[in-house]
Amino acid sequence: MSNQKIRAIGAAVLVVLWSVLTVFAWLAPSQQISEAERRPLAQFPQITADTLLSGDFMTDFEDYTLDQFPLRDAFRRLKSMFHYYVLQQKDNNGIYIVDGYAAEMEYPLNTESVDRAMRQYQKVYDLYLKDSGAKVYNTVIPDKGYYLAQENGYLSMDYETLFATVRAKTPWAAWIGIEDCLQLEDYYYTDTHWRQERILPVAERLCSVMQVQSPTTQTYTPTAMERPFYGVYYGQAALPMEPEIMYLMESDLISQCTVYNHATGKTTPIYDPAMLESKDQYDVFLGGAQSLLTVENPNATTDRELIIFRDSFGSSLAPLLLQGYKSVTLVDIRYIQPEMLGRFVEFYGQDVLFMYSALVLNKSLI
C-alpha cells in the first residue's frame, strides 16, 4: 500500500471519528455535574445580542464544549496517566501521590485569608463570648500535606506560621495543639479528611485540656461500611487509585444521641448510612455541610455544654466528644453569618472550641 493511500485512510478515519464525536456532542443531553470532579459543568450559554457583541458567548461556549466533550472522563484519565507516568510530572491537576496517599499542593500560606478568618473569629468573640463567661479554646486541624509534602519534595504552606498566627490573633482562647496527635496514616488515601477510627488521640487531647470525660471511658466498635469509599482526590487526580473502606465508630452512647438541624427542623441519628449513596460519602457524619446543628446526649451525667465552630473535619470528631457534655452545638460560619447566630444560639458560659482545618483557613472560605 502506498504512503498516499495510508495517509488518505488515516485522514478518513480522523474525519469519521471527529464527525461522530461532533454529532454525539450536539445530540447528547448536557450533563449537569461531574461526579468525578464534584463540580457543576458548564451549560450551553444564552445567545443574546449583548453576549455576542461582548464576546462572552464564545468564552462561555468554549467552557461548555470542554465540559460536555464526549467521553470526557476517559480522556481526562488518559491525559493524567500520560503526564504522570510517561512525562513523570510530580503532580497532576495540582494533586500528587506518595506511597498511595493523594494530596493537594497547598502553597503558599495565604496570610490574607488567615487574617480574614481571624476577623470572623474576633467578631464571634466580641458579639457573644466576651462577657458570657465562656471557656474558649482554639485549635487548627493540619491537613495531610503537613505530614507528606516537604519530606517528599513538594511545596507546602508554612504551617508553623499558620499556627502561630492563629494563636497570636486569638489571645482570648486557650490554644490546644493537636498536630503531634496525628500521623499520615490517620488520613484517607483518596480524601482530604482524617479517618474517624484513628482520631481518638485528638479527642483525648481536647477533652484533657477542656477537663471533661475522656472518650477512652467509652467502648467503641469500628464498623466497616459495605460501600467502597471514593474520596475527593479520586476524581480530581484522574489517576488509577484503589477505593477504601470507611469505618464508623459506634457505641451505645452514640446510638442514643440525636442531631437537630436548625435549618431543616429535622432530627436524625449521628450517622446517616443513606449519605453513603451521595456524591460525598463523608456526609455520613452528621449529614455533611450544615450551618447549625445541635447534638443531644440524653444519658449525660453532666450539665456542661459545648459549642464547636468547625468545618467537615469536626463532623467526624464531635461524636467522640459527647460523653463529656449533655449537648454539643456545631456551627459553621462559612454558611451562617456571625451576626445571625444570636437568633438561634444563646451563649451563657458554655465551653467553646474554634476548630477549622488548615485547608479552610488558607482558602478564604470563612
mmCIF file with all atom_site columns, all heavy atoms in Angstrom, residues 44-67:
data_model
loop_
_atom_site.group_PDB
_atom_site.id
_atom_site.type_symbol
_atom_site.label_atom_id
_atom_site.label_alt_id
_atom_site.label_comp_id
_atom_site.label_asym_id
_atom_site.label_entity_id
_atom_site.label_seq_id
_atom_site.pdbx_PDB_ins_code
_atom_site.Cartn_x
_atom_site.Cartn_y
_atom_site.Cartn_z
_atom_site.occupancy
_atom_site.B_iso_or_equiv
_atom_site.pdbx_formal_charge
_atom_site.auth_seq_id
_atom_site.auth_comp_id
_atom_site.auth_asym_id
_atom_site.auth_atom_id
_atom_site.pdbx_PDB_model_num
ATOM 1   N N   . PHE A 1 44 ? -24.929 25.117 28.001 1.00 0.00 ? 44 PHE A N   1
ATOM 2   C CA  . PHE A 1 44 ? -24.937 25.912 26.774 1.00 0.00 ? 44 PHE A CA  1
ATOM 3   C C   . PHE A 1 44 ? -25.305 27.356 27.104 1.00 0.00 ? 44 PHE A C   1
ATOM 4   O O   . PHE A 1 44 ? -26.328 27.617 27.745 1.00 0.00 ? 44 PHE A O   1
ATOM 5   C CB  . PHE A 1 44 ? -25.940 25.336 25.776 1.00 0.00 ? 44 PHE A CB  1
ATOM 6   C CG  . PHE A 1 44 ? -25.809 25.930 24.392 1.00 0.00 ? 44 PHE A CG  1
ATOM 7   C CD1 . PHE A 1 44 ? -24.919 25.403 23.481 1.00 0.00 ? 44 PHE A CD1 1
ATOM 8   C CD2 . PHE A 1 44 ? -26.574 27.025 24.019 1.00 0.00 ? 44 PHE A CD2 1
ATOM 9   C CE1 . PHE A 1 44 ? -24.787 25.942 22.216 1.00 0.00 ? 44 PHE A CE1 1
ATOM 10  C CE2 . PHE A 1 44 ? -26.449 27.577 22.758 1.00 0.00 ? 44 PHE A CE2 1
ATOM 11  C CZ  . PHE A 1 44 ? -25.550 27.040 21.851 1.00 0.00 ? 44 PHE A CZ  1
ATOM 12  N N   . PRO A 1 45 ? -24.483 28.328 26.679 1.00 0.00 ? 45 PRO A N   1
ATOM 13  C CA  . PRO A 1 45 ? -24.726 29.725 27.061 1.00 0.00 ? 45 PRO A CA  1
ATOM 14  C C   . PRO A 1 45 ? -25.907 30.337 26.323 1.00 0.00 ? 45 PRO A C   1
ATOM 15  O O   . PRO A 1 45 ? -26.277 29.911 25.225 1.00 0.00 ? 45 PRO A O   1
ATOM 16  C CB  . PRO A 1 45 ? -23.414 30.422 26.666 1.00 0.00 ? 45 PRO A CB  1
ATOM 17  C CG  . PRO A 1 45 ? -22.872 29.583 25.550 1.00 0.00 ? 45 PRO A CG  1
ATOM 18  C CD  . PRO A 1 45 ? -23.255 28.166 25.888 1.00 0.00 ? 45 PRO A CD  1
ATOM 19  N N   . GLN A 1 46 ? -26.477 31.342 26.933 1.00 0.00 ? 46 GLN A N   1
ATOM 20  C CA  . GLN A 1 46 ? -27.596 32.050 26.334 1.00 0.00 ? 46 GLN A CA  1
ATOM 21  C C   . GLN A 1 46 ? -27.111 32.926 25.185 1.00 0.00 ? 46 GLN A C   1
ATOM 22  O O   . GLN A 1 46 ? -26.093 33.620 25.297 1.00 0.00 ? 46 GLN A O   1
ATOM 23  C CB  . GLN A 1 46 ? -28.292 32.904 27.394 1.00 0.00 ? 46 GLN A CB  1
ATOM 24  C CG  . GLN A 1 46 ? -29.558 33.599 26.914 1.00 0.00 ? 46 GLN A CG  1
ATOM 25  C CD  . GLN A 1 46 ? -30.225 34.394 28.020 1.00 0.00 ? 46 GLN A CD  1
ATOM 26  O OE1 . GLN A 1 46 ? -29.647 34.561 29.088 1.00 0.00 ? 46 GLN A OE1 1
ATOM 27  N NE2 . GLN A 1 46 ? -31.416 34.877 27.777 1.00 0.00 ? 46 GLN A NE2 1
ATOM 28  N N   . ILE A 1 47 ? -27.833 32.890 24.091 1.00 0.00 ? 47 ILE A N   1
ATOM 29  C CA  . ILE A 1 47 ? -27.470 33.691 22.915 1.00 0.00 ? 47 ILE A CA  1
ATOM 30  C C   . ILE A 1 47 ? -28.279 34.986 22.932 1.00 0.00 ? 47 ILE A C   1
ATOM 31  O O   . ILE A 1 47 ? -29.506 34.973 22.787 1.00 0.00 ? 47 ILE A O   1
ATOM 32  C CB  . ILE A 1 47 ? -27.739 32.922 21.604 1.00 0.00 ? 47 ILE A CB  1
ATOM 33  C CG1 . ILE A 1 47 ? -26.952 31.600 21.593 1.00 0.00 ? 47 ILE A CG1 1
ATOM 34  C CG2 . ILE A 1 47 ? -27.347 33.770 20.401 1.00 0.00 ? 47 ILE A CG2 1
ATOM 35  C CD1 . ILE A 1 47 ? -27.235 30.749 20.368 1.00 0.00 ? 47 ILE A CD1 1
ATOM 36  N N   . THR A 1 48 ? -27.596 36.085 23.134 1.00 0.00 ? 48 THR A N   1
ATOM 37  C CA  . THR A 1 48 ? -28.229 37.407 23.080 1.00 0.00 ? 48 THR A CA  1
ATOM 38  C C   . THR A 1 48 ? -27.306 38.349 22.329 1.00 0.00 ? 48 THR A C   1
ATOM 39  O O   . THR A 1 48 ? -26.121 38.050 22.105 1.00 0.00 ? 48 THR A O   1
ATOM 40  C CB  . THR A 1 48 ? -28.491 37.970 24.490 1.00 0.00 ? 48 THR A CB  1
ATOM 41  O OG1 . THR A 1 48 ? -27.225 38.226 25.128 1.00 0.00 ? 48 THR A OG1 1
ATOM 42  C CG2 . THR A 1 48 ? -29.303 37.008 25.336 1.00 0.00 ? 48 THR A CG2 1
ATOM 43  N N   . ALA A 1 49 ? -27.828 39.489 21.958 1.00 0.00 ? 49 ALA A N   1
ATOM 44  C CA  . ALA A 1 49 ? -27.006 40.483 21.270 1.00 0.00 ? 49 ALA A CA  1
ATOM 45  C C   . ALA A 1 49 ? -25.842 40.922 22.151 1.00 0.00 ? 49 ALA A C   1
ATOM 46  O O   . ALA A 1 49 ? -24.706 41.095 21.679 1.00 0.00 ? 49 ALA A O   1
ATOM 47  C CB  . ALA A 1 49 ? -27.871 41.686 20.872 1.00 0.00 ? 49 ALA A CB  1
ATOM 48  N N   . ASP A 1 50 ? -26.104 41.086 23.451 1.00 0.00 ? 50 ASP A N   1
ATOM 49  C CA  . ASP A 1 50 ? -25.052 41.543 24.362 1.00 0.00 ? 50 ASP A CA  1
ATOM 50  C C   . ASP A 1 50 ? -23.934 40.509 24.482 1.00 0.00 ? 50 ASP A C   1
ATOM 51  O O   . ASP A 1 50 ? -22.746 40.861 24.440 1.00 0.00 ? 50 ASP A O   1
ATOM 52  C CB  . ASP A 1 50 ? -25.644 41.827 25.745 1.00 0.00 ? 50 ASP A CB  1
ATOM 53  C CG  . ASP A 1 50 ? -26.501 43.083 25.754 1.00 0.00 ? 50 ASP A CG  1
ATOM 54  O OD1 . ASP A 1 50 ? -26.340 43.913 24.842 1.00 0.00 ? 50 ASP A OD1 1
ATOM 55  O OD2 . ASP A 1 50 ? -27.334 43.218 26.675 1.00 0.00 ? 50 ASP A OD2 1
ATOM 56  N N   . THR A 1 51 ? -24.305 39.221 24.651 1.00 0.00 ? 51 THR A N   1
ATOM 57  C CA  . THR A 1 51 ? -23.270 38.199 24.813 1.00 0.00 ? 51 THR A CA  1
ATOM 58  C C   . THR A 1 51 ? -22.476 37.989 23.529 1.00 0.00 ? 51 THR A C   1
ATOM 59  O O   . THR A 1 51 ? -21.276 37.695 23.574 1.00 0.00 ? 51 THR A O   1
ATOM 60  C CB  . THR A 1 51 ? -23.887 36.869 25.267 1.00 0.00 ? 51 THR A CB  1
ATOM 61  O OG1 . THR A 1 51 ? -24.855 36.434 24.290 1.00 0.00 ? 51 THR A OG1 1
ATOM 62  C CG2 . THR A 1 51 ? -24.557 37.006 26.616 1.00 0.00 ? 51 THR A CG2 1
ATOM 63  N N   . LEU A 1 52 ? -23.126 38.149 22.386 1.00 0.00 ? 52 LEU A N   1
ATOM 64  C CA  . LEU A 1 52 ? -22.417 38.005 21.114 1.00 0.00 ? 52 LEU A CA  1
ATOM 65  C C   . LEU A 1 52 ? -21.458 39.159 20.880 1.00 0.00 ? 52 LEU A C   1
ATOM 66  O O   . LEU A 1 52 ? -20.299 38.966 20.471 1.00 0.00 ? 52 LEU A O   1
ATOM 67  C CB  . LEU A 1 52 ? -23.425 37.903 19.966 1.00 0.00 ? 52 LEU A CB  1
ATOM 68  C CG  . LEU A 1 52 ? -24.235 36.605 19.880 1.00 0.00 ? 52 LEU A CG  1
ATOM 69  C CD1 . LEU A 1 52 ? -25.316 36.727 18.811 1.00 0.00 ? 52 LEU A CD1 1
ATOM 70  C CD2 . LEU A 1 52 ? -23.328 35.418 19.583 1.00 0.00 ? 52 LEU A CD2 1
ATOM 71  N N   . LEU A 1 53 ? -21.913 40.383 21.120 1.00 0.00 ? 53 LEU A N   1
ATOM 72  C CA  . LEU A 1 53 ? -21.076 41.558 20.868 1.00 0.00 ? 53 LEU A CA  1
ATOM 73  C C   . LEU A 1 53 ? -19.922 41.672 21.865 1.00 0.00 ? 53 LEU A C   1
ATOM 74  O O   . LEU A 1 53 ? -18.830 42.129 21.509 1.00 0.00 ? 53 LEU A O   1
ATOM 75  C CB  . LEU A 1 53 ? -21.940 42.825 20.923 1.00 0.00 ? 53 LEU A CB  1
ATOM 76  C CG  . LEU A 1 53 ? -22.958 42.992 19.781 1.00 0.00 ? 53 LEU A CG  1
ATOM 77  C CD1 . LEU A 1 53 ? -23.851 44.196 20.036 1.00 0.00 ? 53 LEU A CD1 1
ATOM 78  C CD2 . LEU A 1 53 ? -22.240 43.125 18.437 1.00 0.00 ? 53 LEU A CD2 1
ATOM 79  N N   . SER A 1 54 ? -20.168 41.264 23.097 1.00 0.00 ? 54 SER A N   1
ATOM 80  C CA  . SER A 1 54 ? -19.114 41.368 24.120 1.00 0.00 ? 54 SER A CA  1
ATOM 81  C C   . SER A 1 54 ? -18.090 40.247 24.039 1.00 0.00 ? 54 SER A C   1
ATOM 82  O O   . SER A 1 54 ? -17.014 40.340 24.637 1.00 0.00 ? 54 SER A O   1
ATOM 83  C CB  . SER A 1 54 ? -19.746 41.374 25.515 1.00 0.00 ? 54 SER A CB  1
ATOM 84  O OG  . SER A 1 54 ? -20.354 40.114 25.796 1.00 0.00 ? 54 SER A OG  1
ATOM 85  N N   . GLY A 1 55 ? -18.426 39.195 23.327 1.00 0.00 ? 55 GLY A N   1
ATOM 86  C CA  . GLY A 1 55 ? -17.527 38.047 23.256 1.00 0.00 ? 55 GLY A CA  1
ATOM 87  C C   . GLY A 1 55 ? -17.756 37.039 24.359 1.00 0.00 ? 55 GLY A C   1
ATOM 88  O O   . GLY A 1 55 ? -17.100 35.991 24.396 1.00 0.00 ? 55 GLY A O   1
ATOM 89  N N   . ASP A 1 56 ? -18.694 37.340 25.293 1.00 0.00 ? 56 ASP A N   1
ATOM 90  C CA  . ASP A 1 56 ? -18.960 36.421 26.396 1.00 0.00 ? 56 ASP A CA  1
ATOM 91  C C   . ASP A 1 56 ? -19.518 35.091 25.900 1.00 0.00 ? 56 ASP A C   1
ATOM 92  O O   . ASP A 1 56 ? -19.237 34.036 26.497 1.00 0.00 ? 56 ASP A O   1
ATOM 93  C CB  . ASP A 1 56 ? -19.954 37.044 27.384 1.00 0.00 ? 56 ASP A CB  1
ATOM 94  C CG  . ASP A 1 56 ? -19.347 38.201 28.164 1.00 0.00 ? 56 ASP A CG  1
ATOM 95  O OD1 . ASP A 1 56 ? -18.098 38.283 28.196 1.00 0.00 ? 56 ASP A OD1 1
ATOM 96  O OD2 . ASP A 1 56 ? -20.107 39.007 28.729 1.00 0.00 ? 56 ASP A OD2 1
ATOM 97  N N   . PHE A 1 57 ? -20.291 35.138 24.815 1.00 0.00 ? 57 PHE A N   1
ATOM 98  C CA  . PHE A 1 57 ? -20.879 33.898 24.312 1.00 0.00 ? 57 PHE A CA  1
ATOM 99  C C   . PHE A 1 57 ? -19.787 32.910 23.916 1.00 0.00 ? 57 PHE A C   1
ATOM 100 O O   . PHE A 1 57 ? -19.839 31.728 24.278 1.00 0.00 ? 57 PHE A O   1
ATOM 101 C CB  . PHE A 1 57 ? -21.792 34.161 23.119 1.00 0.00 ? 57 PHE A CB  1
ATOM 102 C CG  . PHE A 1 57 ? -22.289 32.887 22.470 1.00 0.00 ? 57 PHE A CG  1
ATOM 103 C CD1 . PHE A 1 57 ? -23.355 32.191 23.011 1.00 0.00 ? 57 PHE A CD1 1
ATOM 104 C CD2 . PHE A 1 57 ? -21.660 32.369 21.335 1.00 0.00 ? 57 PHE A CD2 1
ATOM 105 C CE1 . PHE A 1 57 ? -23.799 31.002 22.441 1.00 0.00 ? 57 PHE A CE1 1
ATOM 106 C CE2 . PHE A 1 57 ? -22.097 31.187 20.755 1.00 0.00 ? 57 PHE A CE2 1
ATOM 107 C CZ  . PHE A 1 57 ? -23.170 30.509 21.304 1.00 0.00 ? 57 PHE A CZ  1
ATOM 108 N N   . MET A 1 58 ? -18.776 33.367 23.160 1.00 0.00 ? 58 MET A N   1
ATOM 109 C CA  . MET A 1 58 ? -17.729 32.458 22.690 1.00 0.00 ? 58 MET A CA  1
ATOM 110 C C   . MET A 1 58 ? -16.889 31.933 23.857 1.00 0.00 ? 58 MET A C   1
ATOM 111 O O   . MET A 1 58 ? -16.488 30.776 23.868 1.00 0.00 ? 58 MET A O   1
ATOM 112 C CB  . MET A 1 58 ? -16.833 33.162 21.670 1.00 0.00 ? 58 MET A CB  1
ATOM 113 C CG  . MET A 1 58 ? -17.538 33.465 20.357 1.00 0.00 ? 58 MET A CG  1
ATOM 114 S SD  . MET A 1 58 ? -18.353 32.008 19.629 1.00 0.00 ? 58 MET A SD  1
ATOM 115 C CE  . MET A 1 58 ? -16.976 30.882 19.433 1.00 0.00 ? 58 MET A CE  1
ATOM 116 N N   . THR A 1 59 ? -16.660 32.811 24.835 1.00 0.00 ? 59 THR A N   1
ATOM 117 C CA  . THR A 1 59 ? -15.909 32.358 26.017 1.00 0.00 ? 59 THR A CA  1
ATOM 118 C C   . THR A 1 59 ? -16.679 31.280 26.764 1.00 0.00 ? 59 THR A C   1
ATOM 119 O O   . THR A 1 59 ? -16.130 30.233 27.132 1.00 0.00 ? 59 THR A O   1
ATOM 120 C CB  . THR A 1 59 ? -15.626 33.545 26.953 1.00 0.00 ? 59 THR A CB  1
ATOM 121 O OG1 . THR A 1 59 ? -14.850 34.525 26.268 1.00 0.00 ? 59 THR A OG1 1
ATOM 122 C CG2 . THR A 1 59 ? -14.872 33.081 28.198 1.00 0.00 ? 59 THR A CG2 1
ATOM 123 N N   . ASP A 1 60 ? -17.967 31.528 26.992 1.00 0.00 ? 60 ASP A N   1
ATOM 124 C CA  . ASP A 1 60 ? -18.803 30.552 27.698 1.00 0.00 ? 60 ASP A CA  1
ATOM 125 C C   . ASP A 1 60 ? -19.010 29.291 26.862 1.00 0.00 ? 60 ASP A C   1
ATOM 126 O O   . ASP A 1 60 ? -19.098 28.185 27.408 1.00 0.00 ? 60 ASP A O   1
ATOM 127 C CB  . ASP A 1 60 ? -20.157 31.171 28.054 1.00 0.00 ? 60 ASP A CB  1
ATOM 128 C CG  . ASP A 1 60 ? -20.028 32.301 29.065 1.00 0.00 ? 60 ASP A CG  1
ATOM 129 O OD1 . ASP A 1 60 ? -18.989 32.368 29.737 1.00 0.00 ? 60 ASP A OD1 1
ATOM 130 O OD2 . ASP A 1 60 ? -20.974 33.117 29.162 1.00 0.00 ? 60 ASP A OD2 1
ATOM 131 N N   . PHE A 1 61 ? -19.085 29.473 25.531 1.00 0.00 ? 61 PHE A N   1
ATOM 132 C CA  . PHE A 1 61 ? -19.268 28.311 24.657 1.00 0.00 ? 61 PHE A CA  1
ATOM 133 C C   . PHE A 1 61 ? -18.033 27.405 24.689 1.00 0.00 ? 61 PHE A C   1
ATOM 134 O O   . PHE A 1 61 ? -18.152 26.171 24.660 1.00 0.00 ? 61 PHE A O   1
ATOM 135 C CB  . PHE A 1 61 ? -19.546 28.764 23.218 1.00 0.00 ? 61 PHE A CB  1
ATOM 136 C CG  . PHE A 1 61 ? -19.793 27.631 22.267 1.00 0.00 ? 61 PHE A CG  1
ATOM 137 C CD1 . PHE A 1 61 ? -21.004 26.953 22.260 1.00 0.00 ? 61 PHE A CD1 1
ATOM 138 C CD2 . PHE A 1 61 ? -18.803 27.220 21.374 1.00 0.00 ? 61 PHE A CD2 1
ATOM 139 C CE1 . PHE A 1 61 ? -21.227 25.893 21.390 1.00 0.00 ? 61 PHE A CE1 1
ATOM 140 C CE2 . PHE A 1 61 ? -19.019 26.169 20.507 1.00 0.00 ? 61 PHE A CE2 1
ATOM 141 C CZ  . PHE A 1 61 ? -20.238 25.503 20.506 1.00 0.00 ? 61 PHE A CZ  1
ATOM 142 N N   . GLU A 1 62 ? -16.865 28.009 24.782 1.00 0.00 ? 62 GLU A N   1
ATOM 143 C CA  . GLU A 1 62 ? -15.642 27.206 24.885 1.00 0.00 ? 62 GLU A CA  1
ATOM 144 C C   . GLU A 1 62 ? -15.648 26.379 26.167 1.00 0.00 ? 62 GLU A C   1
ATOM 145 O O   . GLU A 1 62 ? -15.298 25.197 26.160 1.00 0.00 ? 62 GLU A O   1
ATOM 146 C CB  . GLU A 1 62 ? -14.412 28.113 24.846 1.00 0.00 ? 62 GLU A CB  1
ATOM 147 C CG  . GLU A 1 62 ? -13.092 27.345 24.898 1.00 0.00 ? 62 GLU A CG  1
ATOM 148 C CD  . GLU A 1 62 ? -11.882 28.255 24.840 1.00 0.00 ? 62 GLU A CD  1
ATOM 149 O OE1 . GLU A 1 62 ? -12.066 29.488 24.778 1.00 0.00 ? 62 GLU A OE1 1
ATOM 150 O OE2 . GLU A 1 62 ? -10.764 27.729 24.880 1.00 0.00 ? 62 GLU A OE2 1
ATOM 151 N N   . ASP A 1 63 ? -16.056 27.017 27.293 1.00 0.00 ? 63 ASP A N   1
ATOM 152 C CA  . ASP A 1 63 ? -16.156 26.273 28.555 1.00 0.00 ? 63 ASP A CA  1
ATOM 153 C C   . ASP A 1 63 ? -17.177 25.144 28.431 1.00 0.00 ? 63 ASP A C   1
ATOM 154 O O   . ASP A 1 63 ? -16.958 24.031 28.937 1.00 0.00 ? 63 ASP A O   1
ATOM 155 C CB  . ASP A 1 63 ? -16.569 27.216 29.687 1.00 0.00 ? 63 ASP A CB  1
ATOM 156 C CG  . ASP A 1 63 ? -15.503 28.248 30.009 1.00 0.00 ? 63 ASP A CG  1
ATOM 157 O OD1 . ASP A 1 63 ? -14.325 28.003 29.675 1.00 0.00 ? 63 ASP A OD1 1
ATOM 158 O OD2 . ASP A 1 63 ? -15.854 29.306 30.575 1.00 0.00 ? 63 ASP A OD2 1
ATOM 159 N N   . TYR A 1 64 ? -18.288 25.425 27.748 1.00 0.00 ? 64 TYR A N   1
ATOM 160 C CA  . TYR A 1 64 ? -19.335 24.421 27.563 1.00 0.00 ? 64 TYR A CA  1
ATOM 161 C C   . TYR A 1 64 ? -18.818 23.221 26.769 1.00 0.00 ? 64 TYR A C   1
ATOM 162 O O   . TYR A 1 64 ? -19.043 22.072 27.157 1.00 0.00 ? 64 TYR A O   1
ATOM 163 C CB  . TYR A 1 64 ? -20.520 25.062 26.849 1.00 0.00 ? 64 TYR A CB  1
ATOM 164 C CG  . TYR A 1 64 ? -21.501 24.078 26.247 1.00 0.00 ? 64 TYR A CG  1
ATOM 165 C CD1 . TYR A 1 64 ? -22.409 23.396 27.040 1.00 0.00 ? 64 TYR A CD1 1
ATOM 166 C CD2 . TYR A 1 64 ? -21.511 23.838 24.860 1.00 0.00 ? 64 TYR A CD2 1
ATOM 167 C CE1 . TYR A 1 64 ? -23.299 22.485 26.485 1.00 0.00 ? 64 TYR A CE1 1
ATOM 168 C CE2 . TYR A 1 64 ? -22.408 22.939 24.304 1.00 0.00 ? 64 TYR A CE2 1
ATOM 169 C CZ  . TYR A 1 64 ? -23.296 22.259 25.107 1.00 0.00 ? 64 TYR A CZ  1
ATOM 170 O OH  . TYR A 1 64 ? -24.175 21.364 24.565 1.00 0.00 ? 64 TYR A OH  1
ATOM 171 N N   . THR A 1 65 ? -18.114 23.475 25.669 1.00 0.00 ? 65 THR A N   1
ATOM 172 C CA  . THR A 1 65 ? -17.630 22.370 24.838 1.00 0.00 ? 65 THR A CA  1
ATOM 173 C C   . THR A 1 65 ? -16.591 21.528 25.575 1.00 0.00 ? 65 THR A C   1
ATOM 174 O O   . THR A 1 65 ? -16.544 20.307 25.410 1.00 0.00 ? 65 THR A O   1
ATOM 175 C CB  . THR A 1 65 ? -17.024 22.904 23.524 1.00 0.00 ? 65 THR A CB  1
ATOM 176 O OG1 . THR A 1 65 ? -15.989 23.862 23.820 1.00 0.00 ? 65 THR A OG1 1
ATOM 177 C CG2 . THR A 1 65 ? -18.087 23.575 22.672 1.00 0.00 ? 65 THR A CG2 1
ATOM 178 N N   . LEU A 1 66 ? -15.763 22.184 26.381 1.00 0.00 ? 66 LEU A N   1
ATOM 179 C CA  . LEU A 1 66 ? -14.762 21.423 27.139 1.00 0.00 ? 66 LEU A CA  1
ATOM 180 C C   . LEU A 1 66 ? -15.417 20.546 28.199 1.00 0.00 ? 66 LEU A C   1
ATOM 181 O O   . LEU A 1 66 ? -15.023 19.395 28.405 1.00 0.00 ? 66 LEU A O   1
ATOM 182 C CB  . LEU A 1 66 ? -13.768 22.385 27.787 1.00 0.00 ? 66 LEU A CB  1
ATOM 183 C CG  . LEU A 1 66 ? -12.817 23.125 26.847 1.00 0.00 ? 66 LEU A CG  1
ATOM 184 C CD1 . LEU A 1 66 ? -11.999 24.157 27.618 1.00 0.00 ? 66 LEU A CD1 1
ATOM 185 C CD2 . LEU A 1 66 ? -11.885 22.152 26.127 1.00 0.00 ? 66 LEU A CD2 1
ATOM 186 N N   . ASP A 1 67 ? -16.416 21.100 28.883 1.00 0.00 ? 67 ASP A N   1
ATOM 187 C CA  . ASP A 1 67 ? -17.081 20.346 29.953 1.00 0.00 ? 67 ASP A CA  1
ATOM 188 C C   . ASP A 1 67 ? -17.981 19.244 29.423 1.00 0.00 ? 67 ASP A C   1
ATOM 189 O O   . ASP A 1 67 ? -18.169 18.205 30.079 1.00 0.00 ? 67 ASP A O   1
ATOM 190 C CB  . ASP A 1 67 ? -17.906 21.292 30.829 1.00 0.00 ? 67 ASP A CB  1
ATOM 191 C CG  . ASP A 1 67 ? -17.076 21.925 31.927 1.00 0.00 ? 67 ASP A CG  1
ATOM 192 O OD1 . ASP A 1 67 ? -15.852 21.711 31.945 1.00 0.00 ? 67 ASP A OD1 1
ATOM 193 O OD2 . ASP A 1 67 ? -17.653 22.646 32.778 1.00 0.00 ? 67 ASP A OD2 1
#
